[in-house]
Amino acid sequence: MSPTLIFLLAMSLFAVNNGNPNIELKIGVILDMDSNVGKMSKTCISMAIRDFYRKHHNYTTIIHPYYRDSKQDNVQAASAALDLMKNIQVTAIIGPMTSSQADFVIDLGNKDKVPVISPAASPSLSPYNNHYFIRSAHNSTLQLKPITELIKHFRWSEVVFMYEDGEYGRGLVPYLSDDMMNIGTKVTYQTVIYPSASDDWILAELYKLKTMQTRVFVVHALPDLASRLFKKVNEVGMMDEGYVWIITEGLTNQLHYLDHKEDLMQGVIGVKSHIPNSGELFDFKRRWKREFRSLYPDDDVTALDTSGIRLYDTVFGLAMALEKIQKEKGDSTTDSDGSGALKRGSRLLQSIRNFRFNGLSGDFNVINGQLQSSVYEIVNIIGNGEKTIGFWSPEIDGISKKLSNETKGLKKVTWPGESDVVPKGWEIPVSNKNMLRVGVRVGGFDQFIDEHIDPETGQITMTGFCVDVFNAVVDELPYAFKFEFVPFVTSDGKKPAGSYDDLVFNLSAGGYDAVAGDITILAHRSDRVAFTLPYTEAGVSLVVPIKDERKSAWIFLKPFENELWITTGAFFIYTGIVVWVIEHRVNEEFRGAPHKQVGMLLWFSFSTLVYAHREKLISNLSRFVVIVWVFVVLVLTSSYTASLTSMLTVQKLQPTYTDINEIKRNGESIGYQDGSFVRDMLIRMGFNDTQLKGYSTFEQYHDALELGSQNGGVSAIMEELPYIRVFVAKYCNMYTMRGPIHKTAGFGFAFPVGSPLVHDVSKAILQVTEKQMMNITNHWFREDASCDQKNGPQMKTDGLGHDSFKGVFLIAGLSSTSALVIFVLRFLYQNREMLVSQDHSVSQKLLVMAKTFDVLRDNKSKTSIPKAAVHVESHNNNSPVISVFHQEAEVFSQDEGFSSIQPGSPLVLDTIQVVQTITN
């Protein structure tokens, strides 16, 4: 007789003797009785019933378990459930332990309204959709949180998910993919392993995984299949350094069931629910071993895991819920024979779907039929032992060494191969001496990449700027990166095997593991390969010859821009006109025949340029104008002299072409680098094939540009900026870069699409750019750069423009215009009677004003009145009106063109009309 039955009989006798018979409540238990888990679970349930009623001997209810064996079969589990519900009429069922069996039993429980309490963790079984299902374990998707944080902590970008086929394994697949996507990690492959799969099939699958680059594996399987799997993992060498193995909670809790565990797992990481240590738990484990040994003396003593401890707490919670509903129902209506299980099951459901207490497993909290999340423990498994390296809980942001936010990260981990180095999570599968084949295109510019072959050994050595940058980048990587350069050449090794596009496409086809060198990042190339960040400046521009403009016959016109020449000429003429207008009436040198006056106007204004004017100015207004203008001329001539002197004494080089469209319109030839994408760019710009010529060295560029298009060469070279900088510096004072810069992304290194190397190499490029790029550049281009600095072309500077002289022209314009306005106002004022006269038409007034302006004002005889200017008109009342056009008598100095009226001096009345009316 079992200890549990003996205990129940004793409790019944004790209750009867005390006059208070216990109410026996029937509870069904469905387990795989012959399995290790079944035996462990039955032991825990028996001990829980005994321990509970020993502590609560005053309870009026007592659980009577009815065990049924599911025999590891889903149909048998369903049959056992039907028997318990129909024949035994149990109040609730504990079990089954697996999700596949629980799926059938839960459906029966929903129909017969019997609560089913099971640790089945599959996410497809939900207490929210199955009202009579109470899950006494965590939803299996919850364990993905610590696994995700673990992968995120080590920044692994790829994982492979290996899972056992069945309800246990399949349910986790979509949730794992979503969680990995949320942290930017890609599930590159999923391996489904059937429990019935042969060892040879498992071996073949592992070899296939080994050829892939991902080295992080998440395994979700039960112990029986996991034992076979990890045995083969060790056989194929996948438990070595560089690999990462992560196992889920179900397997971590049952590691003691694995065969030869000490030989299977070395450096594996597992996750499991954290059970806080306590004296009560320690005592229970000790008693459990003794109990297990007494029940199964022929079996090896197995270990107690989390599921067994939670089953123990489940029985405690169920017993408390049964006592609660019994008290609520009352003794008077209780069926002592245990009938009425259907009604009791419905009432029990409300109590066990929401209850909470502190058990052996810690805080046992069930809400809406689901055991709530707690702390997860991350363990490092090394042979038979395991050590805790960190924790995760909903309250902790990430993972921590201890149960607090103050100790972020993990403790030291021992990885497969007994390595302390954190695996990077991937490897490039290679087939040639375990080294990556890095393709390079040679035959171009030696400064960037060049090939040297040892004539004795035949060993290939690559040199150049791009090679040094690649080597520096590899040195910055946080892990070893073994590689060899493989030239992209023809079979005879004398010339490139194709263009740069061909090299990139060869990489995408698997011909190389990576491509280095002067590879420009382009959109159509990025469709086939993955590029790193660029490590050079970007852009394409034009290289043209330059000439020394000092040898030009028209260099004397260069100091001023065309606009300034035009502005200066206009001001010369305008100043001359102003002076002529002011001086014409008072200065005989500004009079004469029209052609003579025009010549005088131009002569006087332009002679101020060399200060050769000898004409005496009479009016102070004209003197003021000339003084200001002479100052402007002084500024202009000084600036002109300085600019011309600079042009004649300092070398000035001017490009032969400034616009690529000019070359295209003239039908001239243009050069480019053989195999470069620049050829396609030129064709898109409208050039014909006959205008395009390809070259492969700087010397060929130089020879072609010297010949020119007319002699079989080219007029310009279209090239990328890194090449242009070196070429222009190499040939000092001969070539320059002109035209707009067509944007590109610069040089980069290429890898197959999806390669994890791209991120790490890009980061290393940034480090090299900040620390070493200047030294590498100086090493390869130092001599050329010094040539450019010492003797390099000093490009043409633009001539002086009118913007530089706006101030002086403004002063000259204002002074001349002001003088002209003052003169005109005076002239009009002197002839005001004529202007206001009503006896003449406008045309007559203008004619008279013009004649008046053209009359020379004689300073020696100012009182003579021309007869032609005086006439008498007859008006009303026979009043004669005398109209005299005379000049107003004013007192002026002779130098100003006026004189005072002195006694006896003749009066000249030639401009002002005097009207006198005589009345009889």
Side-chain angles (χ1 to χ4, degrees):
M1 186 176 293
S2 69
T4 303
L5 292 178
I6 295 173
F7 171 77
L8 291 175
L9 180 60
M11 289 293 296
S12 299
L13 292 174
F14 176 80
V16 169
N17 292 334
N18 285 275
N20 184 22
N22 290 90
I23 300 171
E24 185 179 285
L25 299 178
K26 300 174 183 179
I27 301 298
V29 181
I30 302 176
L31 300 172
D32 294 325
M33 295 298 185
D34 293 333
S35 68
N36 291 326
V37 175
K39 295 175 181 178
M40 178 204 66
S41 299
K42 184 177 181 181
T43 304
C44 290
I45 292 173
S46 299
M47 291 182 66
I49 295 173
R50 187 166 64 249
D51 290 349
F52 181 82
Y53 290 110
R54 183 178 295 152
K55 293 179 180 179
H56 304 87
H57 54 80
N58 60 335
Y59 271 30
T60 60
T61 58
I62 187 169
I63 292 176
H64 186 281
Y66 288 82
Y67 293 99
R68 293 293 184 269
D69 186 5
S70 63
K71 298 180 181 180
Q72 301 185 20
D73 183 75
N74 297 342
V75 177
Q76 187 64 34
S79 176
L82 281 174
D83 175 57
L84 291 170
M85 294 177 189
K86 300 297 184 182
N87 299 326
I88 306 300
Q89 294 186 349
V90 295
T91 302
I93 293 177
I94 297 177
M97 306 300 289
T98 64
S99 297
S100 58
Q101 295 179 18
D103 193 9
F104 290 91
V105 175
I106 291 170
D107 286 340
L108 295 175
N110 288 331
K111 292 178 181 179
D112 288 351
K113 301 186 184 309
V114 176
V116 177
I117 307 171
S118 171
S122 173
S124 62
L125 303 176
S126 170
Y128 302 102
N129 299 328
N130 301 282
H131 197 59
Y132 279 82
F133 171 44
I134 294 88
R135 178 149 42 208
S136 59
H138 295 150
N139 189 321
S140 62
T141 59
L142 185 62
Q143 64 184 314
L144 296 179
K145 298 298 183 181
I147 293 176
T148 300
E149 289 295 336
L150 183 69
I151 293 172
K152 180 181 177 181
H153 174 75
F154 290 110
R155 298 180 181 179
W156 292 319
S157 59
E158 298 178 352
V159 298
V160 171
F161 185 39
M162 306 177 70
Y163 62 94
E164 181 175 339
D165 184 58
E167 187 66 31
Y168 173 78
R170 287 193 301 267
L172 206 61
V173 174
Y175 299 93
L176 177 70
S177 300
D178 291 344
D179 285 356
M180 292 298 109
M181 186 181 301
N182 291 336
I183 63 171
T185 298
K186 181 180 179 182
V187 180
T188 57
Y189 192 74
Q190 296 180 9
T191 297
V192 185
I193 306 177
Y194 295 90
S196 60
S198 65
D199 290 349
D200 290 339
W201 186 93
I202 295 175
L203 200 64
E205 188 70 10
L206 290 174
Y207 274 120
K208 181 171 68 174
L209 293 175
K210 193 174 182 179
T211 62
M212 301 179 183
Q213 65 184 18
T214 308
R215 291 295 181 263
V216 181
F217 301 92
V218 179
V219 179
H220 183 55
L222 294 172
D224 291 342
L225 180 60
S227 295
R228 298 168 52 205
L229 172 64
F230 281 100
K231 181 179 178 180
K232 298 304 176 183
V233 167
N234 282 271
E235 286 184 16
V236 300
M238 295 177 69
M239 195 60 74
D240 296 337
E241 183 177 357
Y243 287 87
V244 178
W245 293 93
I246 302 173
I247 58 176
T248 56
E249 181 177 18
L251 183 55
T252 306
N253 282 330
Q254 300 178 15
L255 288 175
H256 46 276
Y257 297 135
L258 295 182
D259 296 330
H260 306 289
K261 172 188 170 184
E262 66 278 3
D263 300 328
L264 296 181
M265 296 189 178
Q266 298 292 333
V268 176
I269 296 179
V271 295
K272 64 179 182 179
S273 296
H274 173 65
I275 304 296
N277 290 321
S278 65
E280 188 178 2
L281 178 61
F282 178 79
D283 178 67
F284 173 74
K285 288 181 177 179
R286 179 180 55 80
R287 292 188 296 110
W288 180 88
K289 286 184 179 180
R290 187 169 61 246
E291 180 83 6
F292 187 87
R293 189 179 290 110
S294 66
L295 291 175
Y296 309 102
D298 297 333
D299 290 356
D300 294 334
V301 178
T302 186
L304 178 65
D305 60 28
T306 304
S307 63
I309 297 173
R310 284 197 176 132
L311 266 178
Y312 183 90
D313 287 343
T314 299
V315 173
F316 266 58
L318 177 60
M320 288 187 286
L322 288 170
E323 181 69 16
K324 178 181 177 182
I325 64 170
Q326 183 61 34
K327 288 182 178 180
E328 292 175 352
K329 178 181 178 183
D331 294 340
S332 60
T333 58
T334 300
D335 296 321
S336 59
D337 60 354
S339 63
L342 180 62
K343 294 181 180 180
R344 233 186 331 264
S346 299
R347 292 194 300 270
L348 174 63
L349 182 65
Q350 305 304 321
S351 298
I352 62 175
R353 279 186 66 86
N354 294 276
F355 69 94
R356 184 174 189 175
F357 68 97
N358 286 323
L360 285 181
S361 61
D363 183 18
F364 198 86
N365 183 20
V366 177
I367 299 177
N368 293 326
Q370 172 65 61
L371 180 66
Q372 297 304 294
S373 61
S374 59
V375 177
Y376 270 90
E377 191 174 344
I378 303 173
V379 296
N380 189 197
I381 304 162
I382 307 169
N384 283 325
E386 62 181 52
K387 64 177 181 179
T388 302
I389 58 175
F391 297 92
W392 175 91
S393 75
E395 292 75 22
I396 299 176
D397 183 18
I399 52 180
S400 61
K401 297 178 182 178
K402 297 181 180 180
L403 288 174
S404 68
N405 286 322
E406 299 176 357
T407 54
K408 294 290 185 180
L410 294 172
K411 297 178 182 178
K412 183 179 179 181
V413 181
T414 300
W415 302 99
E418 299 182 357
S419 172
D420 294 332
V421 179
V422 178
K424 58 182 179 291
W426 55 267
E427 293 288 346
I428 301 298
V430 293
S431 57
N432 182 29
K433 298 181 293 183
N434 200 32
M435 299 180 71
L436 268 69
R437 303 176 72 250
V438 180
V440 290
R441 186 180 185 275
V442 296
F445 303 124
D446 297 344
Q447 293 92 333
F448 289 87
I449 192 162
D450 194 17
E451 175 188 23
H452 300 279
I453 302 178
D454 191 314
E456 297 181 359
T457 63
Q459 183 177 0
I460 299 175
T461 303
M462 306 303 299
T463 61
F465 170 75
C466 298
V467 173
D468 282 1
V469 172
F470 186 80
N471 290 330
V473 168
V474 169
D475 291 340
E476 288 292 332
L477 294 174
Y479 43 79
F481 184 83
K482 299 179 181 179
F483 68 93
E484 64 176 352
F485 289 114
V486 181
F488 181 61
V489 294
T490 56
S491 56
D492 57 8
K494 294 183 179 180
K495 61 179 181 179
S499 66
Y500 285 95
D501 282 344
D502 295 331
L503 174 59
V504 170
F505 298 156
N506 196 285
L507 168 64
S508 65
Y512 299 100
D513 301 313
V515 166
D518 46 353
I519 307 293
T520 303
I521 302 171
L522 298 174
H524 73 276
R525 294 175 181 174
S526 298
D527 293 336
R528 293 175 172 262
V529 299
F531 281 101
T532 63
L533 292 177
Y535 61 90
T536 63
E537 60 182 330
V540 176
S541 192
L542 201 64
V543 178
V544 296
I546 50 181
K547 59 183 179 180
D548 190 350
E549 66 177 8
R550 294 179 302 176
K551 301 177 182 178
S552 172
W554 304 98
I555 191 173
F556 67 91
L557 296 176
K558 301 297 184 181
F560 287 171
E561 293 181 351
N562 293 336
E563 293 83 356
L564 183 56
W565 280 119
I566 295 172
T567 303
T568 303
F571 266 85
F572 270 113
I573 297 174
Y574 178 66
T575 304
I577 292 174
V578 171
V579 173
W580 176 84
V581 169
I582 296 173
E583 293 289 327
H584 178 68
R585 297 188 65 236
V586 296
N587 195 334
E588 292 186 357
E589 294 185 9
F590 288 85
R591 300 184 64 83
H595 66 276
K596 178 183 177 183
Q597 294 186 50
V598 172
M600 173 58 67
L601 184 151
L602 296 176
W603 156 254
F604 179 81
S605 59
F606 283 98
S607 64
T608 58
L609 185 64
V610 292
Y611 313 107
H613 53 287
R614 296 182 179 179
E615 292 74 17
K616 183 178 180 181
L617 300 178
I618 297 176
S619 174
N620 285 335
L621 290 175
S622 59
R623 291 171 181 173
F624 169 71
V625 170
V626 172
I627 289 174
V628 174
W629 177 243
V630 168
F631 169 73
V632 174
V633 170
L634 175 63
V635 174
L636 290 172
T637 54
S638 300
S639 301
Y640 176 87
T641 303
S643 181
L644 182 60
T645 301
S646 175
M647 290 182 175
L648 293 175
T649 56
V650 180
Q651 186 181 38
K652 296 290 180 179
L653 303 177
Q654 182 179 5
T656 54
Y657 296 93
T658 58
D659 186 7
I660 192 171
N661 293 318
E662 183 181 356
I663 300 174
K664 182 173 63 176
R665 287 193 301 269
N666 296 338
E668 300 179 21
S669 299
I670 188 169
Y672 64 94
Q673 182 185 175
D674 271 330
S676 172
F677 70 95
V678 175
R679 174 184 174 84
D680 295 333
M681 178 184 289
L682 291 170
I683 291 177
R684 290 195 299 269
M685 295 173 71
F687 282 90
N688 299 322
D689 286 339
T690 56
Q691 294 178 266
L692 306 180
K693 296 184 179 181
Y695 304 101
S696 56
T697 65
F698 287 145
E699 289 73 17
Q700 292 178 357
Y701 278 0
H702 172 63
D703 295 340
L705 288 170
E706 276 199 326
L707 289 174
S709 293
Q710 294 76 14
N711 300 315
V714 295
S715 298
I717 299 290
M718 194 74 167
E719 190 53 278
E720 297 181 74
L721 293 185
Y723 304 129
I724 291 177
R725 305 295 187 201
V726 179
F727 177 71
V728 171
K730 181 179 179 66
Y731 295 95
C732 301
N733 307 334
M734 300 183 67
Y735 306 103
T736 186
M737 181 177 72
R738 299 299 292 177
I741 296 178
H742 303 272
K743 291 296 183 180
T744 62
F747 295 166
F749 304 125
F751 295 90
V753 174
S755 172
L757 274 171
V758 174
H759 175 270
D760 294 341
V761 172
S762 295
K763 183 178 179 180
I765 287 175
L766 296 178
Q767 294 172 340
V768 170
T769 302
E770 295 172 2
K771 300 176 183 177
Q772 305 180 48
M773 190 61 73
M774 184 62 69
N775 294 332
I776 298 174
T777 302
N778 290 338
H779 173 73
W780 286 101
F781 310 128
R782 181 176 59 250
E783 293 182 1
D784 294 336
S786 62
C787 171
D788 181 48
Q789 293 171 2
K790 295 178 181 178
N791 305 312
Q794 301 178 16
M795 292 308 302
K796 171 189 174 184
T797 56
D798 294 333
L800 298 173
H802 65 278
D803 290 339
S804 303
F805 300 95
K806 283 182 178 179
V808 293
F809 282 129
L810 180 62
I811 294 173
L814 288 176
S815 60
S816 298
T817 304
S818 300
L820 180 61
V821 169
I822 292 172
F823 173 81
V824 171
L825 291 176
R826 283 181 175 177
F827 179 75
L828 295 176
Y829 180 78
Q830 293 167 359
N831 297 273
R832 60 187 177 278
E833 283 125 356
M834 177 61 188
L835 292 175
V836 299
S837 173
Q838 301 298 323
D839 302 323
H840 299 83
S841 64
V842 175
S843 59
Q844 289 176 334
K845 291 180 181 180
L846 293 177
L847 179 61
V848 172
M849 294 290 286
K851 291 181 178 180
T852 303
F853 173 76
D854 192 49
V855 172
L856 175 63
R857 190 166 184 270
D858 189 359
N859 295 324
K860 296 181 180 180
S861 58
K862 298 181 176 63
T863 58
S864 60
I865 303 175
K867 295 180 180 180
V870 181
H871 63 277
V872 179
E873 297 181 358
S874 177
H875 293 281
N876 293 334
N877 301 322
N878 297 321
S879 301
V881 178
I882 302 175
S883 299
V884 181
F885 295 92
H886 63 86
Q887 184 168 350
E888 185 181 38
E890 294 181 282
V891 179
F892 292 98
S893 66
Q894 186 175 353
D895 289 339
E896 291 177 333
F898 303 96
S899 61
S900 59
I901 302 175
Q902 301 292 336
S905 60
L907 178 65
V908 180
L909 303 173
D910 55 0
T911 60
I912 305 299
Q913 183 184 47
V914 179
V915 179
Q916 181 180 4
T917 303
I918 302 174
T919 58
N920 296 328

